[in-house]
Amino acid sequence: MAAGGSYGAALTDLGERLVGDVITPGDADYDEARKIFNTMIDRRPAAIAQCETAPDVAHAIRFARDHVLPLAVRGGGHSVAGMSLVDGGLVIDLRRMDAVTVDPGARTATVGGGAIMSGLDRATQPYGLATTGGRVSTTGVGGFVLGGGAGFLDRAFGLACDNLLSVDLVTAQGDQLHVDEKEHPELFWALHGGGGNFGVATAFTLRLHPLTTMTAMLLLWRPEAGPAVARAYRDFFESAPGQVGGGLLYLTGPPEEFVPDDMVDTLVCAVLLTYTGHEERARAITAPLLRLGHDAEMITELPYADLQCMLDDPPGYRNYWSAEYLDSFPDQAVDRFCARASDMVVPSPSQHVLFPQGAAVTEGPSDYPLPWRGAAWIVHPFGLWDDPADDARVRQWAHDTRADVRPWSRGAVYLNFIGREGRDRVIEGFGAENYHRLAGVKALYDPDNVFRLNHNIEPRIEPRPAGR
């Protein structure tokens, strides 16, 4: 560590206390250490604490508090708003804490706070087990689970947080807690969707489910077929079993052998269907969609961990995402959604997405602070592009897409799908009553709002009675 700035001696002392390392702007690996998924974000922390143990995390938190430094926490680095970086502050980098231990008898996995989804999926696969993960392999498990956690398996196995059994957490005071339904139950409730507001999660225990194979079907159409395909897709999922997931997407036709030349690098309409089982059964269940007459297809059985890599978002792009959660998706909404796809940047990795919910998502625990879980549909403009000249265009496309479908909105949103969209949207992410309750938990465990670089819950400090 090349200590610098006004914290030089103190940073040297912090580095000596840690099992891990402290990286500062003078170090050769500083720029690599501060790189995150969204290249629009270019922030320069005063130091990056590459923690390897829970006591490392506690030392780093106390250092930030002692020196009044803003504190960011990095797991996978996939926050679209770049909340895992901070200018002039301290970053707690958990990536070295990425161990995954599987107990096949108990059907559980203990996951380090810095693990990414591929580490979890690859560790559970040899045992024929899995749990709900993000839709790409590079997502950080911690932020994903603490935010609620929606993915290809959620209709079958519930949201990721529905499978959360315990959390090891370091609080704003540097205390190390084990949190589950018996120990700190109110905090455990808050960790089912409340994000990183309450401390640094250094380990999770997750419930696993039997899963030996997946079937993936990627069906492509030319974009003019989109409205008819979207209607059929909507109608199919009104009664589809929970074992079926996926999404309807407009995207850039990939340069793959199964894609006709005239569909490569142009806008296409796609249906991705996932099934927790073998291809023969998957084909039988999804027959109404297979009979629509698609222009290209890729259908295969594969392990879940390989499915998770199929649509990995390429690094090195500028990112802007948002979402609207809908109670219904009538024909007028279909037409608006399909028409707006023409505003995407093509060719690019951007996706104009419609996801289904229902099944185990809707049927899951209603007490958690996740008011969006009852929505039937998710409209998710997911922008990735490389030319800064397209920044305003992509933002406008995302905002317009949301506005198009707002008449059918539930008025709630999964905060992992959005960037910084204001306090009202944060409250919509939890619901007003839940937000009030979460603010009370925040006041108990982080009254000074040390963990504020997130979709922030402000601590609610009850006023003292008059005369006291």
Side-chain angles (χ1 to χ4, degrees):
M1 177 190 72
S6 58
Y7 308 104
L11 284 170
T12 298
D13 181 65
L14 175 63
E16 291 173 350
R17 290 172 178 266
L18 300 189
V19 176
D21 297 311
V22 175
I23 306 297
T24 62
D27 290 314
D29 50 354
Y30 173 77
D31 284 334
E32 185 63 29
R34 70 184 180 92
K35 187 184 297 183
I36 60 173
F37 184 76
N38 186 358
T39 62
M40 292 182 75
I41 309 300
D42 183 20
R43 297 180 183 145
R44 300 185 62 84
I48 301 168
Q50 296 179 325
C51 298
E52 295 189 17
T53 65
D56 278 5
V57 172
H59 287 311
I61 292 171
R62 294 189 186 106
F63 178 90
R65 296 200 66 165
D66 290 346
H67 295 277
V68 197
L69 288 173
L71 185 65
V73 182
R74 177 188 178 136
H78 264 245
S79 162
V80 68
M83 295 174 183
S84 47
L85 274 185
V86 58
D87 277 324
L90 180 68
V91 173
I92 293 179
D93 186 340
L94 300 174
R95 283 178 288 178
R96 294 187 183 182
M97 301 175 67
D98 63 351
V100 179
T101 303
V102 179
D103 183 338
R107 292 183 181 172
T108 62
T110 300
V111 185
I116 62 173
M117 206 59 60
S118 62
L120 172 58
D121 297 336
R122 298 293 179 189
T124 61
Q125 181 176 294
Y127 302 100
L129 298 169
T131 196
T132 301
R135 293 178 175 92
V136 297
S137 68
T138 53
T139 301
V141 175
F144 174 77
V145 172
L146 295 176
F152 290 130
L153 296 181
D154 56 18
R155 284 173 42 84
F157 301 147
L159 299 171
C161 73
D162 297 341
N163 296 287
L164 179 62
L165 300 176
S166 69
V167 182
D168 291 340
L169 192 81
V170 183
T171 71
Q173 291 73 38
D175 297 328
Q176 297 175 48
L177 305 180
H178 180 77
V179 184
D180 59 25
E181 61 182 5
K182 293 181 179 179
E183 298 185 59
H184 313 284
E186 186 71 355
L187 177 58
F188 189 57
W189 170 83
L191 296 175
H192 287 74
N197 274 282
F198 309 101
V200 180
T202 58
F204 305 83
T205 301
L206 299 171
R207 181 186 298 110
L208 304 176
H209 303 265
L211 183 65
T212 56
T213 191
M214 294 285 295
T215 299
M217 303 179 175
L218 183 61
L219 314 177
L220 302 183
W221 289 262
R222 290 170 176 82
E224 56 269 20
V229 173
R231 285 175 172 82
Y233 179 83
R234 173 199 63 194
D235 296 345
F236 169 78
F237 269 100
E238 286 182 354
S239 59
Q243 290 86 354
V244 182
L248 182 142
L249 314 87
Y250 284 87
L251 45 74
T252 298
E256 302 288 346
E257 288 186 5
F258 69 93
V259 181
D261 290 344
D262 68 315
M263 296 177 69
V264 174
D265 285 343
T266 66
L267 185 68
V268 300
C269 177
V271 165
L272 175 65
L273 296 166
T274 63
Y275 178 71
T276 56
H278 293 288
E279 180 180 331
E280 181 179 4
R281 182 60 179 155
R283 284 181 177 271
I285 292 173
T286 61
L289 296 177
L290 292 174
R291 287 195 298 261
L292 291 177
H294 43 275
D295 298 308
E297 70 172 38
M298 187 280 295
I299 300 177
T300 185
E301 282 189 28
L302 73 174
Y304 172 63
D306 292 347
L307 168 66
Q308 289 286 76
C309 302
M310 276 184 60
L311 293 177
D312 271 0
D313 311 315
Y317 282 88
R318 307 172 76 79
N319 280 247
Y320 190 85
W321 323 332
S322 193
E324 203 71 36
Y325 278 64
L326 311 182
D327 284 326
S328 63
F329 195 58
D331 287 350
Q332 187 179 3
V334 169
D335 292 340
R336 291 183 179 185
F337 173 79
C338 293
R340 187 60 64 185
S342 63
D343 291 343
M344 290 173 56
V345 174
V346 176
S348 80
S350 293
Q351 299 172 7
H352 187 67
V353 187
L354 176 72
F355 288 129
Q357 290 209 130
V361 178
T362 303
E363 296 161 5
S366 59
D367 181 52
Y368 296 151
L370 305 168
W372 45 270
R373 74 182 305 152
W377 299 99
I378 310 160
V379 168
H380 183 31
F382 186 87
L384 296 94
W385 69 104
D386 56 9
D387 187 349
D390 287 322
D391 288 2
R393 174 181 169 185
V394 175
R395 288 194 186 97
Q396 193 62 49
W397 158 66
H399 297 164
D400 289 345
T401 299
R402 284 188 54 214
D404 287 342
V405 298
R406 197 167 295 133
W408 303 278
S409 175
R410 168 162 286 242
V413 65
Y414 174 38
L415 295 174
N416 281 2
F417 270 2
I418 71 172
R420 296 187 186 276
E421 297 185 5
R423 185 171 183 270
D424 288 348
R425 284 281 268 176
V426 171
I427 294 174
E428 287 177 354
F430 305 118
E433 290 186 10
N434 287 327
Y435 182 88
H436 184 74
R437 181 177 170 185
L438 289 164
V441 180
K442 177 78 168 182
L444 288 173
Y445 293 95
D446 185 15
D448 299 320
N449 208 8
V450 171
F451 302 111
R452 61 184 178 272
L453 297 180
N454 45 41
H455 292 296
N456 193 233
I457 298 165
E458 297 176 4
R460 172 174 58 86
I461 310 295
E462 296 290 356
R464 295 182 179 179
R468 295 183 64 183

